[in-house]
C-alpha cells in the first residue's frame, strides 16, 4: 500500500498567512493528501464567528474530510492586543513550538502507520516548528504568501549585510541607492524592504528566522510562476513556484469580514468594461485627506465604481472612515468587503485600483484586468514595479508636493489606462500565460506534484 502524504500546516496566526495556507491545504487535499491545519485558539474563534454569521461562508474543513483543524494557544489572553507585531511574534514563537511535539504525537496516535505526519509546512515566523520537525525526523517546507521577489529578499538578507548594503543592526540601507538582487531583477529600493517598517527590534529576530528557514526548509514554495519573476526564482534552487493556487470552490473563503455578494447583482447591471474597482486589501490605512481626494476623484470620473471601504480598522479605536462633504457617489457602490475574484472576473469591470499586495496582484493578473497601482508599504512597491514596468499591465499614480494623490491625478490616470488598448491586450496575454501554468502539464502544476512526490520518498 502506498503512503498517503500527511502535512502539518502551520501559518503564523495573521489573516495574511492563515488564508493562503488554508488554501494551500485545500489544494493538497484535492491531490489526495491529508492535512492537519494548526490554528491558534484565537484565530479559530474568529474564523468560526465569520462562518457562522454568513450563509455564504462555511468552514473549509467541514466539507473536507482530508483536512482537520487543531488548535494551540498563542500565549496571549483573549483581550490582549495582537496588533503589536513584535510582541505578538515573540509570544507565538515562545509558546507554540514547545507544544508541538505533544500535538504531533497525539495526531499521529490517531493515524494508521501509513499516514503519520510526513512534512510540516510553515509560513514566516514559524521556523521554530521546522526545528521541531528536524528533531523528529519530519520533512520541512516554507510557503511564502507573497511574491518570489520578496521571498528572494528574505533569502538574501545576510548577503545584503555582507555586501554593506544594509545595516546589520537595523536592516536599514547604508547608502541611498537602488540595488538588484540578481541581474535579471528590477531595481529595488532597500529602504522599502519588508523588514524596514517594523523597526530595529524586529530585524535581529527576522534575520535569525531567515537563517532557520534557509537551513531547515527544503522547499520555499511560492504562489507565482516562472514567467512572472524569472530573476527572483533563479536566486535559490529551493525556490519552487506553484502558483497561481486558485481555490476551486466558489464559496471558499476564510476572510474575517463578510463578503458583500450584492455587488455582483449590481455589476450585472453595469455596461461591459465600465466599472472602476477600488480595493486596498485588508491592512492599508488611508489618512483622511487622501481618503477625501479619492472619494472626490471617483465622483469626478463620472463612471461606475465599486469601492471597498472596510468597516473599521480594528487596530484603531475609531477606525471608520468619514466621507467628505460634497461627496455624491451616485454612480458607485460602496461595500465593506468584496468577493474579489468574482468581481475581477466580471465582464463589467474595466480596471483595478489596487494597493498591489501580492494576493491582489495575482488576482488581477489571473483575471486579465489592467491595474492602477497605489502601493502603501513594503513589497507592494516591488509589485507595482512589476505591474507597471516589467509586465506593463498597469499605471501608477504620482503624488503632489504634499504627498497626496489628487482627485485630478486619479481621473487622469484612470482615463489614460482605460483608453490604452495595448495595456489591455498585454493583460490578457499575461492572464493566459499564468493560467497555462496551472493547467494539467503546466510548469507550476508539475512543481506541485514534484513537491508532493518528495514527501513520499
Ligand atoms: C486575498 O484576497 C481574498 C479575496 O479574493 C481575500 O479573501 C483574502 O483574505 C486575501 N488574502 C490576504 C492574505 O489578504
Ligand atoms: C455556496 O454557497 C451557496 C449559497 O450559500 C450554496 O447554495 C452552495 O451550495 C455553496 N457551494 C458550495 C460548493 O459549497
Ligand atoms: C471616537 O468616536 C467617539 C464616538 O463617536 C468620539 O466621541 C471620539 O471623540 C472619537 N475619538 C477620536 C480619537 O476620534
Ligand atoms: C495565490 O494567488 C491566487 C491568485 O490571486 C489567490 O487567489 C490565492 O489566494 C493565492 N493563494 C495562496 C496560497 O497564496
Ligand atoms: C510523481 O509521482 C508519480 C507516481 O510515482 C509519477 O507518475 C509522476 O511522474 C511524478 N510527478 C512528478 C512531477 O515528479
Amino acid at each position: 500500500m502506498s503512503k498517503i502524504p500527511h502535512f502539518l500546516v502551520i501559518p503564523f496566526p495573521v489573516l495574511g498567512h492563515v488564508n493562503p495556507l488554508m488554501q494551500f491545504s485545500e489544494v493538497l487535499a484535492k491531490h489526495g493528501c491529508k492535512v492537519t491545519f494548526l490554528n491558534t485558539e484565537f484565530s479559530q474563534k474568529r474564523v468560526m464567528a465569520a462562518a457562522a454569521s454568513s450563509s455564504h461562508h462555511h468552514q473549509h474543513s467541514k466539507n473536507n474530510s482530508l483536512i482537520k483543524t487543531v488548535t494551540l494557544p498563542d500565549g496571549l489572553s483573549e483581550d490582549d492586543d495582537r496588533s503589536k507585531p513584535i510582541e505578538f511574534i515573540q509570544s507565538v514563537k515562545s509558546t507554540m513550538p514547545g507544544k508541538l511535539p505533544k500535538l504531533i504525537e497525539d495526531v499521529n496516535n490517531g493515524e494508521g502507520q501509513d499516514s503519520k505526519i510526513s512534512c510540516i509546512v510553515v509560513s514566516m515566523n514559524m521556523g521554530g516548528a521546522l526545528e521541531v520537525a528536524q528533531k523528529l525526523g519530519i520533512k520541512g517546507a516554507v510557503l511564502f504568501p507573497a511574491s518570489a521577489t520578496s521571498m528572494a529578499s528574505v533569502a538574501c538578507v545576510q548577503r545584503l549585510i555582507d555586501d554593506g548594503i544594509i545595516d546589520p543592526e537595523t536592516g536599514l540601507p547604508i547608502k541611498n541607492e537602488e540595488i538588484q538582487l540578481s541581474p535579471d531583477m528590477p531595481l529595488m529600493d532597500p529602504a522599502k524592504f519588508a523588514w524596514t517598517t517594523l523597526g530595529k527590534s524586529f530585524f535581529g529576530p527576522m534575520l535569525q528566522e531567515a537563517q532557520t528557514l534557509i537551513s531547515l526548509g527544503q522547499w520555499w514554495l511560492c504562489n507565482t510562476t516562472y514567467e512572472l519573476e524569472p530573476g527572483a526564482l533563479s536566486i535559490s534552487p529551493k525556490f519552487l513556484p506553484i502558483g497561481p493556487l486558485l481555490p476551486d470552490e466558489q464559496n471558499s473563503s476564510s476572510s474575517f469580514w463578510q463578503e458583500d455578494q450584492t455587488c455582483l447583482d449590481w455589476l450585472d447591471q453595469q455596461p461591459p468594461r465600465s466599472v472602476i474597482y477600488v480595493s486596498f486589501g485588508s491592512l492599508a490605512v488611508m489618512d483622511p485627506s487622501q481618503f477625501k481626494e479619492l472619494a472626490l476623484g471617483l465622483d469626478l470620473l463620472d463612471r461606475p465604481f465599486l469601492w471597498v471601504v472596510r468597516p473599521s480598522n480594528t487596530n484603531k479605536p475609531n477606525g471608520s472612515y468619514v466621507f467628505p462633504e460634497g461627496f455624491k457617489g451616485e454612480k458607485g457602490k460602496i461595500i465593506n468587503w468584496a468577493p474579489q475574484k468574482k468581481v475581477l472576473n466580471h465582464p463589467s469591470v474595466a480596471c483595478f485600483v489596487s494597493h498591489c499586495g501580492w494576493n491582489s496582484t495575482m488576482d488581477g493578473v489571473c483575471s486579465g484586468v489592467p491595474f492602477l497601482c497605489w502601493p502603501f508599504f513594503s513589497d507592494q512597491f516591488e509589485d507595482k514595479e512589476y505591474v507597471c514596468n516589467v509586465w506593463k499591465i498597469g499605471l501608477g499614480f504620482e503624488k503632489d508636493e504634499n504627498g497626496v494623490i489628487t482627485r485630478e491625478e486619479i481621473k487622469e490616470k484612470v482615463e489614460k489606462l482605460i483608453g490604452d488598448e495595448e495595456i489591455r491586450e498585454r493583460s490578457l496575454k499575461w492572464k493566459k500565460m499564468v493560467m497555462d501554468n496551472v493547467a494539467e502539464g503546466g510548469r507550476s502544476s508539475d512543481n506541485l506534484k514534484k513537491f508532493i512526490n518528495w514527501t513520499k520518498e
Side-chain angles (χ1 to χ4, degrees), residues 93 122 129 285 427 430:
K93 280 187 165 206
V122 299
V285 178
S427 301
W430 275 105

Side-chain angles (χ1 to χ4, degrees), residues 105-273:
E105 196 189 318
D106 289 348
V107 170
N108 281 341
N109 280 340
E111 299 288 336
Q113 194 55 282
D114 285 323
S115 56
K116 293 194 188 309
I117 291 167
S118 44
C119 179
I120 296 188
V121 181
V122 299
S123 68
M124 183 114 191
N125 296 324
M126 301 310 277
L130 295 188
E131 287 167 351
V132 173
Q134 191 196 33
K135 285 194 195 104
L136 300 176
I138 298 172
K139 288 173 171 156
V142 189
L143 182 93
F144 265 79
S147 61
T149 299
S150 54
M151 180 166 85
S153 63
V154 171
C156 291
V157 63
Q158 186 62 51
R159 196 182 90 201
L160 292 170
I161 292 172
D162 297 343
D163 291 351
I165 291 165
I166 61 173
D167 183 292
E169 296 289 311
T170 61
L172 296 174
I174 291 169
K175 279 175 286 184
N176 186 11
E177 245 170 44
E178 294 199 308
I179 57 138
Q180 274 179 303
L181 291 179
S182 91
D184 304 329
M185 284 175 71
L187 286 166
M188 295 167 87
D189 178 356
K192 294 198 172 112
F193 281 126
W195 56 79
T196 55
T197 52
L198 288 170
K200 189 177 163 177
S201 48
F202 178 76
F203 187 67
M206 183 265 165
L207 184 58
Q208 211 174 18
E209 176 73 18
Q211 298 311 332
T212 307
L213 297 181
I214 289 166
S215 63
L216 299 179
Q218 247 328 293
W219 296 107
W220 288 34
L221 308 168
C222 193
N223 196 14
T224 189
T225 74
Y226 279 113
E227 297 85 354
L228 287 170
E229 303 173 273
L233 288 163
S234 72
I235 282 187
S236 163
K238 289 186 168 192
F239 290 0
L240 198 65
I242 54 168
L245 294 168
L246 299 165
D248 63 350
E249 216 182 281
Q250 289 270 307
N251 300 345
S252 149
S253 163
S254 61
S255 75
F256 291 163
W257 296 289
Q258 199 175 320
E259 289 171 356
D260 185 336
Q261 307 286 337
T262 66
C263 66
L264 299 172
D265 299 332
W266 180 85
L267 282 172
D268 287 343
Q269 287 150 33
Q270 310 306 318
R273 273 197 277 132

Side-chain angles (χ1 to χ4, degrees), residues 278-281 284-300 305 307-313 319-329 333-336 374 376 399 403-407 410:
V278 186
S279 174
F280 302 112
V285 178
M286 198 174 263
D287 73 61
S289 58
Q290 183 61 79
F291 186 79
K292 176 179 162 192
E293 286 305 306
L294 173 58
L296 299 177
L298 289 172
D299 264 354
L300 201 60
F305 64 85
W307 185 11
V308 176
V309 180
R310 294 192 320 267
S312 70
N313 171 357
S320 302
Y321 292 108
V322 179
F323 289 95
E325 214 170 301
F327 171 65
K328 294 196 205 71
K333 185 167 171 70
I334 294 169
I335 57 174
N336 287 336
W374 189 315
F376 285 73
K399 294 182 169 170
V404 171
I405 298 170
T406 62
R407 65 195 83 163
I410 293 168

Side-chain angles (χ1 to χ4, degrees), residues 15-16 19-20 253 255 259 282 337 340-341 359 363:
L15 176 65
N19 271 358
S253 163
S255 75
E259 289 171 356
S282 54
W337 196 242
Q340 177 155 291
K341 284 183 197 54
N359 189 6
D363 283 348

